[in-house]
C-alpha cells in the first residue's frame, strides 16, 4: 500500500512540532512553547533558572550575545556600567579593597588607568609588603613623594636572587 503524501505545509523542520512552510502556525507554536518554558521557569528554583540560563548562553551565537548585551545595557542605569568604581567610592574604601590583592594583582591594577595607578601605588599598600620581607626604606619619604614603598619593593625584588618574591 502507498502512504498518502503529506501536504507541503505540514512538512516539518528538525522537529515534528515545527511546521516548515506555514509561518502562521510556526509562530503560533513558537509562542505556545515560549509560554510553556516561561511557566516552567516560574516554577523552578533560582539554581535551576541559572542552570537553564547557562545552558542557553552556551548555545548562543556571538550576534545573539551582542543582542543580549544591548538589551541589558538599555535596562541598566548608566552609572552602573559606565562609572569607574574607584572614582565613586571613597579613597579609604578602595585602598581597603586593594589591600586584599596580591602584589602581582596590584601591578596589574596599576595598568588600568592613571587613577588606578595612583591608588595601587599608595605607600599604605606597599609599606607592610616591603617590611614583611625585611626590606626597609633607608629614608623617610616626604609626603609629596608618591609610590616610594612600591618603587623600593620592585627594586629589592629585582636585586633579590628569588624573583618569585613579587608574588605573595
Amino acid at each position: 500500500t502507498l502512504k498518502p503524501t503529506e501536504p507541503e505545509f505540514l512538512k516539518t523542520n528538525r522537529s515534528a512540532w515545527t511546521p516548515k512552510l506555514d509561518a502562521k502556525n510556526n509562530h503560533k507554536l513558537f509562542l505556545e512553547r515560549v509560554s510553556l518554558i516561561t511557566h516552567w521557569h516560574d516554577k523552578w528554583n533560582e539554581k535551576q533558572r541559572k542552570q537553564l540560563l547557562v545552558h542557553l548562553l552556551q548555545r548562543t551565537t556571538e550576534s545573539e550575545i551582542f543582542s543580549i548585551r544591548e538589551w541589558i545595557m538599555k535596562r541598566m542605569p548608566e552609572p552602573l556600567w559606565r562609572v569607574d568604581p574607584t572614582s565613586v567610592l571613597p579613597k579609604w574604601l578602595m585602598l581597603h579593597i586593594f589591600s586584599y590583592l596580591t602584589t602581582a594583582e596590584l601591578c596589574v591594577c596599576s595598568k588600568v588607568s592613571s587613577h588606578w595607578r595612583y591608588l595601587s601605588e599608595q605607600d599604605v599598600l606597599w609599606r607592610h609588603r616591603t617590611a614583611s620581607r625585611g626590606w626597609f626604606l633607608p629614608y623617610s619619604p616626604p609626603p609629596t613623594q608618591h609610590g616610594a614603598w612600591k618603587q623600593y619593593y620592585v627594586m629589592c625584588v629585582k636585586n633579590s636572587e628569588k624573583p618569585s618574591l613579587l608574588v605573595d
Side-chain angles (χ1 to χ4, degrees), residues 108-168:
V108 170
C109 286
S110 71
K111 297 177 182 178
V112 171
S113 69
S114 59
H115 187 66
W116 281 56
R117 181 177 182 163
Y118 169 77
L119 289 172
S120 67
E121 292 182 349
Q122 292 293 306
D123 286 342
V124 70
L125 297 172
W126 291 92
R127 186 178 300 117
H128 175 72
R129 296 166 197 269
T130 307
S132 68
R133 305 273 193 267
W135 303 326
F136 298 94
L137 272 176
Y139 66 96
S140 293
T144 56
Q145 184 178 2
H146 175 73
W149 283 94
K150 179 187 178 185
Q151 291 169 2
Y152 189 68
Y153 182 93
V154 171
M155 183 189 75
C156 289
V157 167
K158 285 181 180 177
N159 293 334
S160 173
E161 293 181 21
K162 300 177 182 176
S164 62
L165 290 177
L166 184 60
V167 181
D168 288 322

Side-chain angles (χ1 to χ4, degrees), residues 9-165:
F9 73 92
L10 289 179
K11 289 189 178 178
T12 59
N13 183 20
R14 295 189 186 155
S15 166
W17 297 58
T18 308
K20 191 173 185 180
L21 297 175
D22 188 358
K24 182 179 178 186
N25 281 331
N26 187 351
H27 184 68
K28 181 181 173 190
L29 287 172
F30 170 76
L31 293 177
E32 288 173 3
R33 289 180 188 153
V34 167
S35 176
L36 183 60
I37 292 170
T38 304
H39 174 77
W40 291 339
H41 179 270
D42 293 343
K43 297 208 177 282
W44 291 334
N45 61 40
E46 185 176 354
K47 181 180 178 184
Q48 291 169 319
R49 290 177 185 181
K50 287 179 181 179
Q51 287 174 340
L52 173 66
L53 287 172
V54 167
H55 179 73
L56 292 173
L57 288 171
Q58 288 172 339
R59 301 174 63 93
T60 58
T61 65
E62 191 174 322
S63 69
E64 291 166 339
I65 294 286
F66 182 77
S67 296
I68 293 167
R69 178 183 171 273
E70 291 298 311
W71 183 87
I72 290 171
M73 290 178 77
K74 286 178 185 174
R75 282 149 184 82
M76 285 181 67
E78 189 171 333
L80 292 179
W81 55 271
R82 287 206 185 231
V83 174
D84 178 2
T86 64
S87 64
V88 177
L89 296 174
K91 180 181 172 183
W92 67 266
L93 181 57
M94 288 309 306
L95 291 174
H96 181 72
I97 293 168
F98 277 28
S99 72
Y100 289 99
L101 300 177
T102 65
T103 54
E105 291 168 336
L106 281 174
C107 291
V108 170
C109 286
S110 71
K111 297 177 182 178
V112 171
S113 69
S114 59
H115 187 66
W116 281 56
R117 181 177 182 163
Y118 169 77
L119 289 172
S120 67
E121 292 182 349
Q122 292 293 306
D123 286 342
V124 70
L125 297 172
W126 291 92
R127 186 178 300 117
H128 175 72
R129 296 166 197 269
T130 307
S132 68
R133 305 273 193 267
W135 303 326
F136 298 94
L137 272 176
Y139 66 96
S140 293
T144 56
Q145 184 178 2
H146 175 73
W149 283 94
K150 179 187 178 185
Q151 291 169 2
Y152 189 68
Y153 182 93
V154 171
M155 183 189 75
C156 289
V157 167
K158 285 181 180 177
N159 293 334
S160 173
E161 293 181 21
K162 300 177 182 176
S164 62
L165 290 177

